[in-house]
Amino acid sequence: MKRINNIFSFFTLIVASPWIMLIVGVAFYAIAYIGVFAEDSVWREIFIKIGDIFVIGVILGYFTNIAKMLGIFKQDLREIVYMEEHLQKRNDLEELWNRASKQMFKNKFPAIHDDFLQALKRYFPDDVVSFYNNYTVYTKVEWYDRDRHLIKVTDTTSFELVAESKAKNVEYPLKTWTRVKDGDEYQERILSFTVNGESQEIKEPVQSEDHGDTCEERIINLKGSERYEIKYIREKIYSIATDYYIGFRAKYIVNNLSVALYLPEGIEAIFTARGTQGDFEDGIVPDSISKQYKGIVLPRQGYTFVLRTL
């Protein structure tokens, strides 16, 4: 039993060291080929086969280790190439994106691939505003003067504005469009405006005409933060006979959008999604037309309510 253990220990030592395996294999070759055994001897063939086992084993182990090392090197190289610090320094990201997207889309439309990517690129934030988060609008419609078809619309809007960095100043454009005909009564004012819970001074708007609509624009300057909790209340009085649309069109990317519309007696509304990839779900705000969109709303997408008097 002790002799068997010694033999086993000997072979374990040989297998553990590639160099010993190689030397032993060459030794078996030497014994087989120097004439110790006759050329047709069975022992000569046995020693040659044993030499093959040891020498070929070393060679296969060597190439196996090389393959492993190359695999590790490729993985490390891949991680380096795609790490954020490296990508920030590359000046060929658009070309890289072009090639990668062709594989992602499996070359389904090579004739319009470049135009398609350029269309997608227009949705990427190129301003100091990254996106709006959890955009919520509560709109209350009331009769201001039913005989003259005048309504008062009060919007309570809240959202989180996520900026590129707190080192850059942000100009938040506060706009509204209303269709107004000559002779129509029209009023617009901001009842309150807060940023991170603090009231802001609101200046008079700059008024302009935009494709037949009256546009009221105010620029709110923000600075010192990467995230701004914004809430404002706006009141408008105008003719429902002239302007019977209430809607929202995103200027920036919006993550999650909720809306609730409260209507008085004598007015009904139809809700329509505006170009979103998915559908709005019914919300949970009572006594209103309540809708919510979970996910990304791209610029120029949103919703529209079409009002109708009864």
Side-chain angles (χ1 to χ4, degrees):
M1 185 69 180
K2 183 177 181 180
R3 186 176 181 182
I4 294 174
N5 289 337
N6 290 337
I7 294 173
F8 179 77
S9 299
F10 173 72
F11 277 100
T12 302
L13 177 64
I14 292 175
V15 174
S17 174
W19 289 109
I20 295 177
M21 289 180 62
L22 185 61
I23 292 172
V24 171
V26 172
F28 273 88
Y29 280 148
I31 293 172
Y33 287 106
I34 63 177
V36 176
F37 305 109
E39 290 190 3
D40 58 350
S41 171
V42 174
W43 284 104
R44 182 175 183 274
E45 292 296 324
I46 291 174
F47 269 65
I48 291 174
K49 295 298 183 183
I50 294 175
D52 287 344
I53 292 173
F54 281 103
V55 173
I56 294 174
V58 171
I59 294 173
L60 288 176
Y62 174 77
F63 281 109
T64 300
N65 288 334
I66 290 292
K68 289 181 179 179
M69 290 297 293
L70 287 175
I72 294 172
F73 175 74
K74 288 180 180 178
Q75 180 63 29
D76 290 342
L77 182 61
R78 186 179 295 111
E79 291 178 359
I80 292 172
V81 169
Y82 291 105
M83 67 189 303
E84 186 174 351
E85 292 82 356
H86 176 74
L87 292 174
Q88 288 176 350
K89 297 177 182 179
R90 296 190 63 156
N91 56 10
D92 62 341
L93 286 179
E94 188 165 343
E95 177 61 26
L96 179 64
W97 180 45
N98 194 352
R99 294 180 181 180
S101 60
K102 285 182 180 179
Q103 301 306 315
M104 290 173 59
F105 304 143
K106 299 179 181 180
N107 288 311
K108 289 184 177 180
F109 36 79
I112 62 171
H113 184 84
D114 291 339
D115 293 336
F116 179 69
L117 290 187
Q118 290 302 316
L120 289 180
K121 188 178 178 181
R122 287 197 291 269
Y123 288 113
F124 291 174
D126 58 357
D127 206 312
V128 291
V129 176
S130 293
F131 65 96
Y132 294 157
N133 194 40
N134 295 329
Y135 200 100
T136 302
V137 184
Y138 296 102
T139 299
K140 183 178 182 180
V141 179
E142 303 173 272
W143 285 112
Y144 182 76
D145 188 332
R146 188 166 184 174
D147 293 335
R148 294 193 294 154
H149 305 291
L150 294 177
I151 56 175
K152 180 172 73 174
V153 178
T154 305
D155 292 316
T156 301
T157 303
S158 62
F159 61 94
E160 179 185 45
L161 185 153
V162 181
E164 181 180 324
S165 72
K166 61 182 179 182
K168 295 184 178 181
N169 294 340
V170 178
E171 290 187 347
Y172 168 63
L174 182 59
K175 291 185 179 182
T176 184
W177 292 265
T178 310
R179 179 142 299 193
V180 181
K181 291 183 178 179
D182 291 340
D184 284 349
E185 182 173 347
Y186 170 66
Q187 300 177 34
E188 184 270 351
R189 59 176 179 156
I190 302 297
L191 302 182
S192 67
F193 192 103
T194 62
V195 178
N196 296 334
E198 297 183 2
S199 297
Q200 305 293 309
E201 182 181 355
I202 302 299
K203 298 180 180 179
E204 290 298 315
V206 175
Q207 192 174 93
S208 62
E209 295 295 322
D210 184 11
H211 297 89
D213 292 337
T214 297
C215 176
E216 309 275 358
E217 180 178 9
R218 299 171 176 86
I219 300 298
I220 312 300
N221 294 309
L222 308 172
K223 61 180 179 180
S225 181
E226 291 182 356
R227 294 176 179 269
Y228 302 92
E229 294 289 343
I230 294 176
K231 181 177 181 179
Y232 65 88
I233 302 175
R234 184 197 339 249
E235 181 184 276
K236 295 200 299 183
I237 296 173
Y238 58 92
S239 173
I240 190 175
T242 303
D243 190 340
Y244 43 87
Y245 293 102
I246 293 177
F248 168 78
R249 184 180 68 179
K251 177 176 176 59
Y252 301 106
I253 292 173
V254 176
N255 179 45
N256 298 331
L257 173 62
S258 299
V259 59
L261 178 67
Y262 301 87
L263 296 172
E265 181 183 354
I267 299 178
E268 65 178 10
I270 298 175
F271 176 86
T272 304
R274 188 171 188 170
T276 54
Q277 281 72 35
D279 296 327
F280 280 78
E281 300 175 359
D282 290 334
I284 58 174
V285 181
D287 302 322
S288 70
I289 302 175
S290 178
K291 299 289 182 178
Q292 59 184 1
Y293 189 92
K294 298 178 181 179
I296 300 299
V297 177
L298 296 174
R300 304 184 70 84
Q301 295 180 350
Y303 64 85
T304 300
F305 286 104
V306 181
L307 306 182
R308 187 173 75 91
T309 55
L310 302 177

